[in-house]
Amino acid sequence: MVKSMKGNIREFISINIAILTVSDTRTIDQDKSGDLLAQRITDSGHLLASRSIVPDEKNEIVRILEEWVSNKDIDVILTTGGTGLTGRDVTVEAHKEIYEKE
């Protein structure tokens, strides 16, 4: 049971969350932001459904996002990285490829 901001008591419902890190330089062992997100997810009582690192390649990002969006065992997708200002940073553009509504 958890208390809502309005003071109501509600049953806690765990959700399945996937983390996608976009980086040309990081590995799973060096992914500090992904580690932090994963820790916060599990500490909050949710399930880490999947975690992956991909290079800053639009087609790769879109492929994984589409795969996870169609996976009924994933409720939420968090992405981190790949949001700089250079031409190599295409995470935002990849997300826009799969948006139903912006």
Side-chain angles (χ1 to χ4, degrees), residues 26-46:
R26 301 274 186 245
T27 65
I28 198 79
D29 296 328
Q30 305 164 324
D31 184 19
K32 291 181 182 181
S33 61
D35 289 343
L36 178 63
L37 289 169
Q39 187 65 49
R40 298 266 173 101
I41 287 166
T42 57
D43 285 352
S44 297
H46 300 291

Side-chain angles (χ1 to χ4, degrees), residues 14-100:
S14 177
I15 58 175
N16 302 323
I17 303 172
I19 300 170
L20 179 62
T21 299
V22 179
S23 177
D24 288 328
T25 59
R26 301 274 186 245
T27 65
I28 198 79
D29 296 328
Q30 305 164 324
D31 184 19
K32 291 181 182 181
S33 61
D35 289 343
L36 178 63
L37 289 169
Q39 187 65 49
R40 298 266 173 101
I41 287 166
T42 57
D43 285 352
S44 297
H46 300 291
L47 176 70
L48 181 60
S50 192
R51 181 173 172 191
S52 188
I53 295 180
V54 294
D56 214 332
E57 299 290 339
K58 188 175 177 183
N59 291 339
E60 282 296 301
I61 299 166
V62 169
R63 182 187 62 76
I64 290 176
L65 290 175
E66 286 178 338
E67 178 183 317
W68 285 355
V69 165
S70 66
N71 184 333
K72 292 180 180 166
D73 293 326
I74 296 176
D75 301 309
V76 173
I77 301 169
L78 299 177
T79 61
T80 183
T83 57
L85 299 175
T86 71
R88 289 276 313 136
D89 301 308
V90 294
T91 303
V92 173
E93 292 80 0
H95 279 80
K96 286 183 176 184
E97 293 254 336
I98 65 162
Y99 283 170
E100 290 178 15

